[in-house]
Amino acid sequence: MNITRNSVSIGKRAYERTVWILVGLGCLGLWSGIYLDAQLAGTITYLVAAWAAMGLAFGLPRVTETKLSDERDEAHHNRASGLMFSIAAIATVSVVPALYVLDAGGYFTITSTMWGGIYVLSALALLYGLCYGIVLWRN
């Protein structure tokens, strides 16, 4: 079955609402699974809803002629991404080196949870750098 770009018709508001409803249902399912001691069912519900939401969010714009985002959406996305990375970078650059020194001097112990956070922030920065490099190279 071939899907043409004009085979799916949906409005921008319906598209956004559907994606956010799926995300909300996934979170509700996960929380319910934790609360009702049915972690497996909650996790499955969350994963199905999250994958459906991401499939819609990234797949639907490719199979419809309807403009599902505009320049304002892109500007808001870029602003929010830049703000998030700025906050993460400032917090990481200003705190992590001091923690290394305090840990080496025996004044403070970096816990395994803190190491996990440091690794996650480091991996996020490396992934961002890789994606930024790819975008620059392709343009």
Side-chain angles (χ1 to χ4, degrees):
M1 177 171 108
N2 291 337
I3 297 176
T4 60
R5 282 192 55 88
N6 59 3
S7 66
V8 178
S9 178
I10 187 170
K12 181 180 179 201
R13 291 184 80 184
Y15 161 74
E16 290 174 347
R17 286 180 181 168
T18 303
V19 170
W20 283 112
I21 286 170
L22 284 169
V23 169
L25 287 174
C27 292
L28 182 63
L30 187 61
W31 179 81
S32 297
I34 293 169
Y35 183 74
L36 298 174
D37 200 29
Q39 291 84 4
L40 183 60
T43 302
I44 291 170
T45 303
Y46 172 77
L47 289 173
V48 168
W51 280 98
M54 293 303 105
L56 267 174
F58 295 110
L60 195 58
R62 299 191 188 319
V63 296
T64 185
E65 290 289 332
T66 307
K67 191 160 175 89
L68 298 175
S69 64
D70 57 16
E71 295 80 22
R72 290 176 299 164
D73 295 325
E74 194 170 320
H76 289 142
H77 170 74
N78 291 340
R79 176 94 169 120
S81 297
L83 180 61
M84 189 270 305
F85 276 107
S86 295
I87 291 170
I90 290 168
T92 303
V93 169
S94 64
V95 172
V96 172
L99 290 177
Y100 289 156
V101 171
L102 291 173
D103 186 49
Y107 296 102
F108 184 80
T109 301
I110 299 176
T111 65
S112 60
T113 303
M114 293 170 76
W115 277 115
I118 291 167
Y119 292 147
V120 165
L121 287 172
S122 298
L124 192 58
L126 290 172
L127 179 62
Y128 174 78
L130 176 68
C131 293
Y132 189 76
I134 290 170
V135 167
L136 285 179
W137 179 66
R138 290 183 73 186
N139 289 330

